[in-house]
Amino acid sequence: MLDLDVERIAHGGVAVARHEGRVVFVADAIPGERVRARVTDAGRDRFWRAETLEVLDASPDRRPHVWPEASVDRAPEHRAGGAEFGHVRMPRQRALKGDVLRDTLARMGGVERDVVVEPVDAALAPGVDAEAGTGWRTRVRLHVDDDGSVGPYAARSHRVVPVRSLPLALAELEAIAPLAGTAVGASAVDLVAPSDAPGEVVVRMPGDRRDDAATRTIVERVGERRFTLDRDGFWQVHRGAAATLTRAVQEAIDPARFDPAADNQDLYGGVGLLAAAVGDRFGAGTRITTVEADARATEHAGANLADWIGARALTDRVDRYLDRLAAEADAAARGFAGATVVLDPPRSGAGRAVVERLVALGPAQVVYVACDPVALARDVATFREHGWELESLAAFDLFPNTHHVEAVARLAAIV
C-alpha cells in the first residue's frame, strides 16, 4: 500500500502522483487529494500503476459517484468501467479535460492555447441531466460472461461485473437493459436508441457478421434534417453530440476562405453529417465530396446529401484517395487549392501521411474534429512542420463522467 499526494491529471483519466521519485498513475483520484492506493503494475522502471482504495484527504470537488457500482467504496476489481470521472463534480471534470488538452497541445504540438471545455447545450440534448452528466448515451454495449451474466467490463479489465443501473444511458435504455437476466451463448448485448424509434435490445452471437442485404437501418435527426444509417453503423453516442458538432464545424469554417465552387472535402465522412453541416451553412450550390471507407455508410451518405446538387459520396480509404488526387496533374485546377477540408478521423488521428498529403494539395483551410488529444496534438505538430498553424480551437464535453473530450480545430497555412 502507498499513501500518495495526487498532483495532476494525465491523459486516459488517471491521476499522477510520485513515490520516492517514481511516477505513479493512480485511478479514481483527483488532483489535490491524498489517497491510499494499491500498486497493480510495478513492472516498469519509469512508472507504476495503482488503484485508489481509500481517500484520506478528499478534494472539495469529490462527490458520491454517479454510478454506485463504480464507486471507490467497491473493491477495484468490482468497479464498473466507463465512468472514470463519475466521482468528480462536473465543472472540475471539464477543467481537468481542458488541462489535458492544453498540456498535450503544448507538449506534443508546440502550441500554447487556453482551453475551455463547454458542456452540451441543454436545448440540443433533451432529457439529459447536464448537472449530473447522466442520461446521455444513446448506445451502450454490455458484455456476456461464460455463465451468461450480462454487464459492463470492470474498469481496466475484460471481466464482466454485475450492475443494477446504467446511469450514463438514456433512461429508456436503462429501463430495458437485461441487467438481471442471462444471455447464455451470446457475446454481447447492445442497447440502441435512435432519434425516431423506441430503444432496442440487440443480442450479439459469436461469429455474427454484418449482412449488407439484411442490415437494418435507423434514422437520426439533427434539427430538421434526417440521416439514415445502419443500426450497427457509427453515430455520435451523446444525444446532443451530432447537433453540437454540426454547429461547431459551421462556426469553425472561416467564411472569407470558403469557396462553394471549390472541391470541398469531408474526409472520414461517415453518413454525411458534417458534409451536411457545410452544405446547410453555405447553401444548396455547395460542392462537397464526402469520403468514407465503409461502403454502407457511403451509400447512406449519398442519399443523405441529396439536397446538394454538388455533393457526392465516395467509398475509399482517405490516404489512397488523397494519393490519387495528388497524382492528377489538374488537381489544383479542379479547385482543391481553394477548398475547405473537414477532417474527422478515428481516435488514432489522421496521421502523418494524410496530413502531409493534404498540405501538399494546398486547401484553403482544414477543420479538424478530434476525439483524442494526443492524436490531435501529433497531427497539429505535423501541420506546423509544413507551415500551417492552429487558428481556432473549441472543445466540448460530449462524454460526461468519462475522460474523453471532443475538439474542433481550424488550421490554415501561414501567409
Side-chain angles (χ1 to χ4, degrees):
M1 301 293 179
L2 303 177
D3 289 354
L4 301 171
D5 293 314
V6 181
E7 300 174 2
R8 58 184 176 84
I9 204 71
H11 177 56
V14 293
V16 179
R18 293 182 185 274
H19 175 70
E20 298 179 349
R22 177 181 277 105
V23 170
V24 181
F25 293 110
V26 57
D28 300 321
I30 305 173
E33 291 188 326
R34 184 170 178 80
V35 301
R36 182 160 293 152
R38 179 177 67 197
V39 174
T40 58
D41 182 0
R44 303 169 190 267
D45 293 334
R46 294 176 52 235
F47 63 87
W48 289 350
R49 296 191 181 276
E51 296 173 319
T52 298
L53 298 180
E54 182 183 356
V55 180
L56 303 176
D57 186 7
S59 165
D61 292 309
R62 181 171 283 273
R63 64 177 179 180
H65 205 292
V66 296
W67 196 358
E69 291 94 335
S71 172
V72 73
D73 298 332
R74 272 194 166 197
E77 60 270 21
H78 297 305
R79 293 174 198 166
E84 60 277 5
F85 277 1
H87 59 288
V88 187
R89 291 175 55 247
M90 292 305 300
R92 186 70 186 281
Q93 284 191 35
R94 292 192 287 271
L96 292 174
K97 295 178 188 188
D99 290 346
V100 169
L101 184 51
R102 181 189 64 247
D103 294 348
T104 306
L105 279 171
R107 179 169 46 87
M108 299 183 64
V111 174
E112 299 284 345
R113 181 68 60 116
D114 287 335
V115 180
V116 176
V117 178
E118 303 174 31
V120 173
D121 186 334
L124 302 180
V128 173
D129 187 336
E131 183 64 25
T134 56
W136 54 269
R137 289 194 69 105
T138 62
R139 287 155 174 77
V140 175
R141 168 152 286 192
L142 300 172
H143 303 279
V144 182
D145 214 341
D146 291 342
D147 65 2
S149 298
V150 178
Y153 283 144
R156 298 168 294 282
S157 84
H158 288 87
R159 184 178 59 261
V160 175
V161 294
V163 298
R164 292 183 291 180
S165 63
L166 296 172
L168 303 194
L170 281 149
E172 66 179 282
L173 290 185
E174 187 177 32
I176 63 174
L179 299 178
T182 59
V184 177
S187 58
V189 175
D190 287 343
L191 311 176
V192 184
S195 302
D196 277 13
E200 183 178 359
V201 177
V202 183
V203 177
R204 307 291 184 190
M205 302 304 293
D208 274 359
R209 300 186 64 180
R210 194 169 169 187
D211 182 352
D212 288 354
T215 297
R216 178 174 170 183
T217 60
I218 59 174
V219 172
E220 297 284 3
R221 285 187 177 274
V222 179
E224 297 303 312
R225 189 165 294 286
R226 292 162 54 95
F227 293 87
T228 299
L229 64 148
D230 288 352
R231 183 186 59 190
D232 297 344
F234 174 79
W235 188 256
Q236 292 291 334
V237 167
H238 191 295
R239 175 58 90 198
T244 298
L245 292 177
T246 292
R247 179 189 294 177
V249 166
Q250 290 172 337
E251 292 176 351
I253 295 172
D254 179 0
R257 291 191 178 106
F258 188 83
D259 178 1
D263 197 8
N264 301 299
Q265 304 284 318
D266 171 30
L267 304 182
Y268 311 95
V271 297
L273 172 69
L274 299 182
V278 177
D280 277 338
R281 181 175 182 195
F282 294 102
T286 300
R287 288 185 62 200
I288 190 160
T289 300
T290 185
V291 181
E292 167 60 50
D294 186 312
R296 287 284 298 177
T298 306
E299 180 181 339
H300 292 307
N304 293 333
L305 299 174
D307 288 3
W308 295 277
I309 296 173
R312 61 175 182 155
L314 300 179
T315 301
D316 208 344
R317 271 180 36 177
V318 168
D319 55 347
R320 293 174 180 171
Y321 170 73
L322 293 178
D323 284 345
R324 278 196 298 277
L325 275 186
E328 296 176 8
D330 63 342
R334 292 173 58 246
F336 200 99
T340 290
V341 176
V342 177
L343 194 64
D344 185 11
R347 189 169 301 281
S348 56
R352 175 172 290 274
V354 166
V355 171
E356 290 185 338
R357 183 60 76 203
L358 269 179
V359 298
L361 287 165
Q365 59 188 324
V366 171
V367 174
Y368 190 132
V369 180
C371 60
D372 184 83
V374 169
L376 173 64
R378 185 192 61 232
D379 287 342
V380 165
T382 305
F383 274 108
R384 296 185 71 239
E385 287 175 16
H386 295 277
W388 284 55
E389 283 296 342
L390 178 67
E391 291 190 331
S392 70
L393 179 69
F396 304 93
D397 194 15
L398 301 190
F399 308 91
N401 291 310
T402 81
H403 73 275
H404 298 291
V405 62
E406 197 90 5
V408 178
R410 184 178 72 239
L411 299 109
I414 302 171
V415 178

